[in-house]
Amino acid sequence: MKFMYCPQCGSQLEKKEIGDEGLVPYCETCKRPWFDMPYACTITLVINELEEVALIRQGYVSDQYYVCVAGYIKCGESAEETARREVMEELGLNPESLCYTKSYYFEKNDMLMLAFEAHVKKTEFHLSEEVDQAAWLTFEEAHANMRKGSIAIQLLENYFYGKK
């Protein structure tokens, strides 16, 4: 999020040198800086006891590639709560364990993606209306059906190659 106007008083912000931070949007009326910030989201690799991953297709994201479960962090919610909620909402699966792995910056959408691995029991999906399709895939199948260089494929590779 790029601030142009003060969220408190509505005054137009000016760039001001703030210590080591460099030029930062600043409100002269409120006498405070407003640091630009990315949107906080989670992205979760869902893995079952057979080492298969649950991936989804959402037409508004891609009709060609599978992606990991992802979603925006809501106010008052921790990243872990978001990851669990999104797995439940999108796939209808209840994570038995959840592990934070790393963060990724997604410049295209100005998002900070906090990555998790969720371990679940293999069961039938109960998809939300925003999910067009879901599938249990082996590493090889998942890798072949994900966009090369995407954050989702990096998360997949980190999980499987990190085990060797």
Side-chain angles (χ1 to χ4, degrees), residues 76-141:
E77 192 174 53
S78 72
E80 291 81 3
E81 290 168 333
T82 300
R84 283 184 185 283
R85 176 180 53 78
E86 289 292 338
V87 171
M88 284 292 297
E89 285 177 1
E90 294 186 3
L91 294 171
L93 302 176
N94 187 22
E96 294 178 338
S97 67
L98 189 70
C99 177
Y100 171 80
T101 58
K102 70 183 283 186
S103 63
Y104 300 86
Y105 180 68
F106 185 41
E107 185 174 9
K108 178 182 173 190
N109 291 349
D110 195 23
M111 296 175 3
L112 180 61
M113 306 292 293
L114 305 175
F116 289 87
E117 294 166 0
H119 292 269
V120 300
K121 291 281 187 215
K122 184 174 183 176
T123 187
E124 184 179 321
F125 299 119
H126 298 282
L127 305 180
S128 82
E129 290 181 11
E130 67 181 61
V131 176
D132 300 319
Q133 182 184 4
W136 288 111
L137 303 171
T138 65
F139 168 79
E140 292 79 13
E141 292 167 334

Side-chain angles (χ1 to χ4, degrees), residues 25-98:
Y26 188 84
C27 179
E28 284 296 337
T29 305
C30 297
K31 303 292 186 215
R32 69 161 290 186
W34 290 95
F35 292 90
D36 292 332
M37 64 184 104
Y39 294 96
C41 303
T42 62
I43 182 167
T44 306
L45 183 67
V46 179
I47 308 141
N48 69 26
E49 68 276 14
L50 304 173
E51 292 286 291
E52 297 169 318
V53 296
L55 297 178
I56 62 175
R57 278 211 176 115
Q58 296 171 298
Y60 67 91
V61 176
S62 172
D63 341 349
Q64 184 179 3
Y65 298 111
Y66 278 100
V67 297
C68 290
V69 170
Y72 289 97
I73 298 174
K74 294 179 179 179
C75 287
E77 192 174 53
S78 72
E80 291 81 3
E81 290 168 333
T82 300
R84 283 184 185 283
R85 176 180 53 78
E86 289 292 338
V87 171
M88 284 292 297
E89 285 177 1
E90 294 186 3
L91 294 171
L93 302 176
N94 187 22
E96 294 178 338
S97 67
L98 189 70

Side-chain angles (χ1 to χ4, degrees), residues 2-3 13-17 22-26 28 36:
K2 307 277 187 234
F3 289 107
L13 300 175
E14 302 171 11
K15 294 289 186 180
K16 182 175 180 177
E17 191 80 30
L23 290 175
V24 174
Y26 188 84
E28 284 296 337
D36 292 332

